[in-house]
Amino acid sequence: MAELDERDVQSIVDLQIQLATLISLRLVVRVSAEDRVESMKCKCNVNYSFASALAARMRFDLSKFLWDFQ
């Protein structure tokens, strides 16, 4: 396995913190087992309108990250 540099580690930590925040706000729910941190699966708990409005407010291009959306 390749070694991670400091920037990679910080990005992973940032992502974990952001995901934990979304879970605590119940905007996202965890659907995988608690002990599977490295392969955690989550599900969006809000409708597309809400997610889109929130993303726009944060200047986040949500469409770049949707792959299972009809």
Side-chain angles (χ1 to χ4, degrees), residues 44-59:
C44 186
N45 200 32
V46 297
N47 64 28
Y48 178 77
S49 292
F50 184 88
S52 181
L54 182 60
R57 188 168 186 189
M58 300 177 72
R59 296 185 203 145

Side-chain angles (χ1 to χ4, degrees), residues 46-70:
V46 297
N47 64 28
Y48 178 77
S49 292
F50 184 88
S52 181
L54 182 60
R57 188 168 186 189
M58 300 177 72
R59 296 185 203 145
F60 179 81
D61 186 0
L62 185 61
S63 65
K64 288 183 178 180
F65 299 92
L66 295 178
W67 64 86
D68 189 18
F69 177 74
Q70 307 281 23

Side-chain angles (χ1 to χ4, degrees), residues 3-15:
E3 288 192 35
L4 298 174
D5 68 18
E6 188 175 326
R7 198 174 348 170
D8 291 335
V9 172
Q10 187 59 48
S11 293
I12 291 168
V13 170
D14 290 344
L15 178 61

Side-chain angles (χ1 to χ4, degrees), residues 22-67:
L22 292 172
I23 291 169
S24 73
L25 293 171
R26 297 187 180 152
L27 299 175
V28 170
V29 292
R30 185 177 185 144
V31 295
S32 61
E34 290 287 326
D35 62 341
R36 305 276 325 230
V37 175
E38 71 284 347
S39 61
M40 182 183 351
K41 292 186 180 184
C42 296
K43 179 180 174 184
C44 186
N45 200 32
V46 297
N47 64 28
Y48 178 77
S49 292
F50 184 88
S52 181
L54 182 60
R57 188 168 186 189
M58 300 177 72
R59 296 185 203 145
F60 179 81
D61 186 0
L62 185 61
S63 65
K64 288 183 178 180
F65 299 92
L66 295 178
W67 64 86

